[in-house]
Amino acid sequence: MSPAELSSNEAERLRAFERRGHDSLATSYHEFFAGVTALAINSILNEVHLHHGSRLLDVASGPGALTAEAANRGASAIGVDLSAGMVKLARRLYPTIEYHEADVEHLPFPDDAFDAVVCAFGLGHFPKPETAVAECVRTLSPGGRIAFSWWDDPSRQRIQGIFRESIAEIGVAALPDVPEGHNVFRFSNSGELLRLLEGAGLTGVRVVEHAATYIVPDIETLWCGGLGSLVLTGAVVTRQDQATQKLIRAAFERRASMYKSADGLNLPIAFKIGSGQRPT
């Protein structure tokens, strides 16, 4: 058993937490965090060698921007997401594109249905990532390509990092909804991401690291945007009493102020993209 593998009951508990959280935050996530995740879109599509006519599946498609960009480039693109709220939002934003509510472990598509499968920042939310990737590979045609992005370590991915460090400083308890064995940063380690993809039988596997800067106008925008986008991290903060929330906010403001510039907060953003090919 993998160190990160959860029991069936634990996996369902995490899945339900993720579904509820993304349902409730779909709109605020789109308004703030979609701009951050969009930094990876071009690189993800390049990794799967997208071309006109490619059949592409976007897993954990969220508000739908990656699926829509693939369609704009001439692909036959479909998005799936666990969250009904995210699917509803994506359909409203991109009404000409097909989006489905589905669990990554049970995709509603036949074998060999796609030339490319992509996933932008879903891995750390999956209760059983090995099962999830195997299911994605099942839907991939021989010779097809897969690309999954995930965040780098919080020390280099500062939106999550500032929140996480502030929470740790105050020392609040973990959420009971999230199983102790689930490590959201497991695939921030390039070796773990490589092993995941190689273990799914993919060839030519590689992990490429990316870095960028994202500008947020001020600390209040970052605070509200993060709480409205980061399902797990935000819940840790919002479930505390008012006194504890104020302590976290003070620690947060101190850390965030380090990134102030004339333009706002210049926040380092770092992520990895793991890719590979299904053998022919």
Side-chain angles (χ1 to χ4, degrees), residues 16 70 108 115 169 172 179 222 260:
D115 304 306
E169 178 180 321
V172 301
L222 180 60
K260 282 184 177 178

Side-chain angles (χ1 to χ4, degrees), residues 223-273:
W223 174 260
C224 294
L227 294 183
S229 304
L230 308 175
V231 168
L232 175 58
T233 303
V236 174
V237 176
T238 57
R239 292 189 188 182
Q240 307 304 317
D241 58 40
Q242 288 298 313
T244 304
Q245 287 189 40
K246 287 182 178 178
L247 291 173
I248 296 171
R249 172 66 186 251
F252 177 90
E253 290 186 0
R254 188 174 68 252
R255 285 176 168 80
S257 65
M258 298 169 55
Y259 299 97
K260 282 184 177 178
S261 71
D263 301 321
L265 302 177
N266 288 351
L267 299 167
I269 304 294
F271 58 91
K272 303 167 187 282
I273 298 177

